[in-house]
Amino acid sequence: MVQHVNVSGIGITASSKNKENAQQLIEFLTNEQSQKWYANVNNEYPVVEGIAPPESLAVFGEFKSDTVSLSVLGENKPSSRQINGPRWLGNKPFY
């Protein structure tokens, strides 16, 4: 079975005015306790290796990370739009 998983990320931009606090936030969000809580509350796979996913995700089997670069996914977006066509929200298409 193939399952689509949304991608989330975190980083500090070069123009950040508070890099130290941003780094502390990243460290907090990626510590073991936070990852366990976040995974269980949001039913998401943890981003830190060694932390078990919530039981609710067991039906999907073991998480298998894709090796495709996110840059490549962005480059392929126009082709994806042509293959899948627009989705409709009310009377307006969106992609």
Side-chain angles (χ1 to χ4, degrees):
M1 171 172 44
V2 176
Q3 177 67 33
H4 169 76
V5 178
N6 287 331
V7 177
S8 299
I10 190 168
I12 302 171
T13 64
S15 62
S16 174
K17 294 181 180 170
N18 201 334
K19 289 181 173 72
E20 288 180 30
N21 281 342
Q23 182 62 42
Q24 287 179 14
L25 176 61
I26 291 171
E27 290 170 8
F28 171 75
L29 292 173
T30 57
N31 73 36
E32 183 177 354
Q33 182 180 358
S34 295
Q35 283 291 292
K36 286 180 179 178
W37 177 88
Y38 198 81
N40 285 300
V41 169
N42 292 308
N43 293 310
E44 292 190 12
Y45 289 100
V47 297
V48 176
E49 287 187 43
I51 297 175
E55 289 183 28
S56 60
L57 298 179
V59 297
F60 299 114
E62 185 176 334
F63 181 78
K64 183 178 176 184
S65 180
D66 199 331
T67 58
V68 175
S69 166
L70 293 179
S71 298
V72 172
L73 296 179
E75 292 167 7
N76 289 327
K77 190 173 183 178
S79 297
S80 173
R81 287 180 178 168
Q82 289 177 344
I83 293 168
N84 294 313
R87 302 292 182 256
W88 294 85
L89 181 60
N91 62 353
K92 296 181 181 179
F94 69 97
Y95 292 89

